[in-house]
Amino acid sequence: METKFFQASARYVDSVELNVTDLEKSLYFYKGILGLQVMEQSDRHAALTADGKHPLVVIHQPVRVTVKEKQATGLYHFAILVPERKDLAQLIHHLAEQKIPLGGADHLVSEAIYFSDPDGNGIEVYHDRSSEEWAWNGSEVAMATDPLDTDGLLDLVKDSWNGFPEATRMGHIHLHARDLKETLEYYTKGLGLDIANHSYPQAAFLSTEGYHHHVALNTWKGEGAPSPSLHSAGLRHFTLVYPGDSEREAALQRLEKMGHPSEKQDDAVYVTDPSGNSIKLVI
């Protein structure tokens, strides 16, 4: 798995929390079909994990939940990173057997598949190629959306899918933005991420420590897209990890100077980007 992703100095996405319209239906999907383990559960909440120790995806059913708003900002997809190519191959075979509609792409830095949960929340599962195979032009990494070698992947399938391996991580998150320039400034000048690729139309990919991307932004729903309502199905917030308290505090001070306040709750701090996406900053 890509070692740069885990460097102590990196800022990276750790987990994603979602609003869903039907907790039991979503549990069947995430546990029964994808094979994630339930770490904790209540009447309106469930935390799901790959390793049994750390939440990967947390789902909530608000009392007054509404369906996902198709033209609003928010989640485009969250991306689960599996450690080996054969893991992706086994999942493709399994989801095909479950008749889950799939898309796929070769991004040069990675190979990925795409599908949605019952509420239309986009999900990517991918594996990284070795960083030695990535091509950089200065500070920008080469990425593309080429056809996925599905036949080559399926040739690797020797065993049935048995859930995500323990080494599975949340690889990145891709968000719909209202204004790309304004949101880019928030994530770069404020949160401290670097632009790793800006070659796609109306999109940008951001990272730290030379990863291909931890956060992606796009305005594919149109400039000025509205933020979703509070109880809409979709992204509740995602967790961004900082290497230490000083790095997080520096980011908060930068955001404050830019006119973006924060809210502290216990050991976490919550901020909201210009497109209405909520972020939990932890160390």
Side-chain angles (χ1 to χ4, degrees):
M1 189 178 289
E2 172 53 43
T3 55
K4 289 181 180 178
F5 182 90
F6 299 101
Q7 286 188 1
S9 55
R11 297 156 180 78
Y12 59 90
V13 177
D14 190 46
S15 62
V16 170
E17 302 206 16
L18 306 170
N19 285 339
V20 300
T21 56
D22 187 320
L23 188 71
E24 289 304 318
K25 188 174 182 180
S26 292
L27 270 175
Y28 175 75
F29 177 81
Y30 283 103
K31 178 185 176 184
I33 294 180
L34 293 188
L36 289 171
Q37 307 165 46
V38 176
M39 191 171 171
E40 61 179 64
Q41 182 179 351
S42 66
D43 290 344
R44 294 187 171 274
H45 156 272
L48 298 132
T49 178
D51 62 7
K53 303 172 184 177
H54 187 79
L56 191 71
V57 179
V58 183
I59 54 176
H60 303 263
Q61 183 183 335
V63 175
R64 297 181 298 279
V65 66
T66 58
V67 297
K68 185 175 173 65
E69 298 170 19
K70 294 182 179 180
Q71 297 306 314
T73 59
L75 184 69
Y76 180 55
H77 63 242
F78 62 86
I80 297 173
L81 172 62
V82 292
E84 297 186 42
R85 192 172 190 239
K86 69 177 181 63
D87 301 320
L88 182 64
Q90 289 171 355
L91 181 58
I92 292 172
H93 185 265
H94 170 70
L95 292 179
E97 288 187 325
Q98 297 294 318
K99 302 188 186 307
I100 302 295
L102 294 175
D106 185 326
H107 294 304
L108 305 183
V109 294
S110 63
E111 291 179 293
I113 59 171
Y114 298 89
F115 52 97
S116 297
D117 77 0
D119 285 292
N121 293 307
I123 302 170
E124 174 184 345
V125 179
Y126 73 107
H127 87 95
D128 277 335
R129 289 195 168 95
S130 168
S131 61
E132 294 177 356
E133 299 180 52
W134 303 355
W136 290 84
N137 181 13
S139 62
E140 185 156 319
V141 65
M143 295 174 64
T145 304
D146 293 337
L148 184 66
D149 179 16
T150 306
D151 290 340
L153 281 159
L154 291 177
D155 285 343
L156 300 175
V157 177
K158 307 299 180 185
D159 302 303
S160 59
W161 178 250
N162 193 33
F164 287 95
E166 287 189 7
T168 299
R169 297 289 300 266
M170 187 64 67
H172 62 264
I173 192 165
H174 194 150
L175 303 167
H176 289 293
R178 179 173 58 215
D179 181 289
L180 190 58
K181 181 180 178 181
E182 179 185 29
T183 309
L184 265 176
E185 287 184 350
Y186 184 92
Y187 281 89
T188 56
K189 296 179 181 178
L191 292 178
L193 279 70
D194 303 314
I195 296 176
N197 182 287
H198 203 351
S199 62
Y200 281 72
Q202 298 176 292
F205 299 82
L206 314 173
S207 73
T208 59
E209 301 302 328
Y211 193 59
H212 53 75
H213 67 295
H214 293 109
V215 175
L217 306 167
N218 74 67
T219 53
W220 297 336
K221 288 192 175 180
E223 294 281 347
S227 302
S229 58
L230 182 62
H231 298 297
S232 168
L235 181 65
R236 190 180 182 97
H237 63 252
F238 69 93
T239 299
L240 187 64
V241 180
Y242 279 78
D245 187 61
S246 61
E247 290 88 352
R248 182 178 67 172
E249 187 59 34
L252 293 173
Q253 290 177 7
R254 292 193 298 268
L255 289 174
E256 185 72 29
K257 290 180 180 179
M258 295 167 64
H260 299 289
S262 60
E263 178 184 353
K264 293 187 178 181
Q265 295 182 22
D266 299 323
D267 293 332
V269 180
Y270 291 84
V271 296
T272 303
D273 76 14
S275 299
N277 299 305
S278 179
I279 311 162
K280 180 181 179 182
L281 306 184
V282 302
I283 56 174

